[in-house]
Amino acid sequence: MEQQETSEDATMTRIGQAVMLLHAGDREEARNRFGVLWDEIGEDGDPFHRCTLAHYMADTQDDAGDELAWDLRALAAADGLTDERVAQHDSSVAVRGFYPSLHLNLAADYLKLHRPDAARTHLFRARAASDALGDDGYGDGVRAAIERLERRLAEAG
């Protein structure tokens, strides 16, 4: 007997498909699909869906200001999340594990926009939240990215 896909599963599947397009290099099609999903989910939609979608939508932007706006949406959505909601998708993940990457992305955005003080603020927050990361490939990758951005900021002055 086939199990019927829930609306939660369908939304995450569609987000995942767009992420695959993004990672394959088709930023424009990924951006288009994320835009359709964002219109469906809406500003007041499920915070988990909004956080995930906005986080990846930021990576499809050509303009640093637009990228910042999407990363700020992702952070705002994360602030509305609970561990219980995240566990509905993946029981091994806690909301606090989202923050190192979210703040790292904001720090990178602010650096692109030549706002080093704001970049340092978010980099500090990323570093402070990094204790929530596991000792795995993802955690190691985020910690390494924090270190790289810290070096870039130091070089920038």
Side-chain angles (χ1 to χ4, degrees):
M1 187 179 291
E2 270 186 48
Q3 189 176 18
Q4 198 171 17
E5 187 175 51
T6 66
S7 129
E8 158 74 13
D9 294 335
T11 300
M12 290 310 294
T13 296
R14 291 172 64 204
I15 291 172
Q17 290 167 341
V19 169
M20 289 190 322
L21 287 168
L22 174 62
H23 290 166
D26 194 346
R27 291 174 69 231
E28 184 176 352
E29 182 60 23
R31 183 174 43 244
N32 292 339
R33 290 190 188 195
F34 287 139
V36 168
L37 279 162
W38 186 262
D39 289 343
E40 291 173 14
I41 294 167
E43 290 282 338
D44 298 320
D46 179 81
F48 183 73
H49 293 153
R50 286 186 295 118
C51 181
T52 305
L53 193 149
H55 175 71
Y56 287 107
M57 179 64 127
D59 294 339
T60 70
Q61 302 305 304
D62 296 324
D63 178 81
D66 293 338
E67 186 175 358
L68 173 64
W70 283 106
D71 280 329
L72 287 169
R73 286 182 185 104
L75 180 63
D79 288 342
L81 276 171
T82 64
D83 285 332
E84 293 76 23
R85 173 60 188 99
V86 174
Q88 291 172 0
H89 178 70
D90 184 344
S91 61
S92 69
V93 178
V95 174
R96 62 190 210 99
F98 290 18
Y99 287 96
S101 177
L102 294 172
H103 284 292
L104 173 64
N105 289 347
L106 286 165
D109 296 342
Y110 283 119
L111 185 59
K112 287 178 197 171
L113 292 167
H114 308 287
R115 295 176 57 190
D117 290 340
R120 283 185 190 87
T121 296
H122 283 282
L123 197 53
F124 174 81
R125 290 176 184 164
R127 173 68 72 193
S130 67
D131 66 332
L133 296 170
D135 289 326
D136 55 18
Y138 174 76
D140 293 344
V142 172
R143 282 187 288 273
I146 290 170
E147 290 172 14
R148 284 192 303 273
L149 194 57
E150 285 174 336
R151 284 193 300 272
R152 282 181 54 207
L153 259 171
E155 291 168 4

